[in-house]
Each structure stands twice: as C-alpha cells, then as structure tokens.
Amino acid sequence: MGRRIMEWAARSDYMGGIPRKMVIMAVGGLAKAAVSLLNNTTVHNADTLLRLVRSRPPGVPLVTVSNHMSTMDDPLLWGFKGFPITDAKLSRWALAAEDICFKSSMLSYFFRLGKCIPIIRGGGIYQEHMDEALERLSEGEWLHTFPEGKVSQEDAPIRRLKWGTASLIARAPVTPIVLPIVHTGFEQVMPENFYRGKRPPFPLWNKNIKIIVGEPMELDLPKMRQMAMCLSRNISHPTLGWPSTCPGGLDEAAQRCLYIAISEKIQNVMETLRTFARSFSKSKDQNLC
C-alpha cells in the first residue's frame, strides 16, 4: 500500500468523530446560508437525491456526478433547503485535487475531516487514493465526483469525461447507484475572474442558481463488459501497466473500452440534463413575466 495523506483524520472514529462533525456543521451552515438565503436557488427533482442519500438499500453505494462550474461547487451544491448538509453521517465523500486542497498540512487536515479524498490529476486511475475511494464504495458510502476533471465556467456542452469515475463504478464490489446532476449559477457565485484575474474572497450573493437532479442511470455492467471484450479484440493501444485481472478479468484494452462506454453514457445523460436546465431556466423566466 502506498502513502495515503492523513488517512487517520478521515476515519469516522478519529477523536470520537467530533472534529469531523464540527467541520461539516460549520461548512454546511455556511453553504446553506450562501445558497438558501443569499442567492435565488431552484432545485428540480430534489426528492430523488434526498431519498438516495437518506435511504438506500443496505450496502449499496451511491455515486453522484456533476459538471464543474466553480471551486465552490462542493459544498454549495448541497446547501439548498431541505438537504441534510450538516449531518456528518449522511455527508458525501468527495474526490478533491491534491494540488489545490492538500497543498499544506493545515489544508490536508481540514479537507480530510470534511470527507475528501486527495486525487493527483494526471496520476491515473490506479493511483493509491482511488483504492481508498473504492474502499468507501465497498462500505456502501456516497461518493461525489466531477468527472470533467477541472472547472470550466463557459456555457458549453459537457466535456469529455475522465475515466476515473467510470473505473470506480466498474470496479466497485457492489454496483453503485449512479445519479447525474447538472447545475448553473455557481460560476456567478464564485467567478474565476472577478477582479484582476482572481476569485472573490467569499461567495457572491443575489445570483440565480439552478440545480437539476436526474434519475438513477441504468448501467448493465455485465453486458457492457462483454461488449468491451468483443470490441477490444480489434484495438491496439500502448499499455500503461494496468492490472490485467481487474475488473472482471478484463485486460487493459477491454478496460479502456469499458471505461469509454461508461463515460460516454454518463456524458450523454449529463448533456441532456444541461439542455433541460436551459429550457427549465427559460420557462421559469417566462412564468415570472
């Protein structure tokens, strides 16, 4: 096992769980104030997200995926009215960029208490902390990811997804429920170029936020694995040294095909939600006229 950054601080029993509860309650309270009080927030299909966060079948993990509009998407995404954002037990685990969230001991400690898992961008899907994310999924936990890989504040189609999320879905011991989410407005709450190319020191207010929660995705992984094996027979790629026995006995070429297929399916659903979000916004605006 490789080095895991401050994994001890991420354990639920660390100091009786008190530091984790304090961090999540504080951050959650600020996120709820920013989203529910200081900005105008509309959520579509919130009940589906609330149901899956609160009452999934025992041992079944949840993977939520969303577009990435600002550095504050998480935790602001969970700050809408009625969401249990201050409940440390129900709170999500999240993949977070090591070079941003874990660049000092203090930040590492803070984000670890906030149930974040450091990921080295460009470090590959078999890096050590991806195994940690798999362990959380094997425990039936909720994991949120931004599969686009980085922030983009342009009003543009969903970009090609990185394979990390797809690999976690495929490699999880119990197939997770996959729930897509698309949002707009956080790019106005935390713009990248607010003043002299810098972000504002705190979230802005009086902006319009829209969160569109989709429906759980239907992923027939056994069928997708079989298709990947068939497709990979006629494809050759330089090898990266991936384990040849994971997942389901697939070699590296078949894994590539599988992860591409899963990623493309998620990307298509997210783009459909993005299109719906735009029409949803227009219908709301017309109702206000």
Side-chain angles (χ1 to χ4, degrees):
M1 179 181 292
R3 181 182 67 92
R4 292 188 181 180
I5 299 173
M6 288 194 186
E7 186 180 17
W8 47 269
R11 294 172 183 159
S12 61
D13 59 354
Y14 168 64
M15 294 183 67
I18 294 174
R20 174 188 285 185
K21 291 178 181 177
M22 292 175 63
V23 166
I24 289 178
M25 286 185 66
V27 173
L30 291 173
K32 191 165 285 288
V35 174
S36 299
L37 298 177
L38 300 179
N39 287 284
N40 307 310
T41 302
T42 304
V43 186
H44 173 78
N45 198 28
D47 288 346
T48 295
L49 175 61
L50 290 167
R51 172 175 53 84
L52 292 174
V53 167
R54 287 177 168 147
S55 57
R56 295 187 303 282
V60 177
L62 171 65
V63 173
T64 51
V65 294
S66 76
N67 56 327
H68 207 358
M69 299 296 286
S70 80
T71 55
M72 292 292 288
D73 288 353
D74 185 299
L76 296 185
L77 187 55
W78 323 114
F80 62 86
K81 291 179 181 178
F83 192 87
I85 189 173
T86 57
D87 188 324
K89 186 175 182 181
L90 293 179
S91 179
R92 89 291 169 268
W93 288 87
L95 302 184
E98 184 182 48
D99 60 322
I100 296 175
C101 302
F102 295 83
K103 57 186 179 182
S104 71
S105 296
M106 185 66 72
L107 282 174
S108 297
Y109 184 63
F110 175 79
F111 280 101
R112 274 307 208 172
L113 292 177
K115 298 174 73 171
C116 292
I117 300 172
I119 293 296
I120 300 172
R121 289 187 285 194
I125 62 176
Y126 284 104
Q127 59 182 281
E128 178 60 36
H129 285 105
M130 289 291 279
D131 289 339
E132 183 182 344
L134 273 177
E135 290 168 12
R136 300 293 80 78
L137 292 177
S138 70
E139 296 165 355
E141 295 281 1
W142 167 27
L143 177 71
H144 182 71
T145 75
F146 297 102
E148 290 177 294
K150 62 180 180 180
V151 170
S152 175
Q153 300 198 325
E154 298 177 1
D155 182 14
I158 300 297
R159 291 163 293 168
R160 185 182 70 83
L161 306 187
K162 305 297 184 182
W163 295 348
T165 298
S167 76
L168 291 173
I169 293 168
R171 295 162 59 201
V174 176
T175 300
I177 298 169
V178 180
L179 186 69
I181 302 171
V182 166
H183 52 81
T184 64
F186 292 132
E187 72 280 7
Q188 300 175 35
V189 174
M190 184 56 66
E192 288 288 295
N193 297 307
F194 177 67
Y195 180 70
R196 293 185 176 179
K198 295 184 178 180
R199 306 182 192 102
F202 42 76
L204 304 182
W205 57 89
N206 201 28
K207 307 298 181 182
N208 294 318
I209 299 169
K210 294 179 176 62
I211 301 171
I212 309 298
V213 180
E215 296 295 334
M217 293 184 60
E218 296 289 336
L219 293 173
D220 188 344
L221 289 184
K223 183 177 180 180
M224 295 180 80
R225 286 191 180 99
Q226 191 64 39
M227 183 67 70
M229 291 175 67
C230 293
L231 290 174
S232 66
R233 291 169 186 161
N234 300 318
I235 300 175
S236 61
H237 289 284
T239 61
L240 299 174
W242 291 355
S244 61
T245 58
C246 181
L250 301 185
D251 61 19
E252 186 171 321
Q255 287 181 61
R256 285 173 178 266
C257 291
L258 177 61
Y259 301 154
I260 289 172
I262 294 173
S263 296
E264 287 181 347
K265 190 162 187 178
I266 294 173
Q267 180 183 358
N268 290 338
V269 171
M270 290 176 66
E271 180 58 27
T272 299
L273 289 180
R274 191 186 76 90
T275 303
F276 173 77
R278 298 181 65 163
S279 62
F280 182 72
S281 301
K282 291 177 181 178
S283 66
K284 285 287 182 181
D285 292 341
Q286 290 172 355
N287 290 337
L288 292 175
C289 295

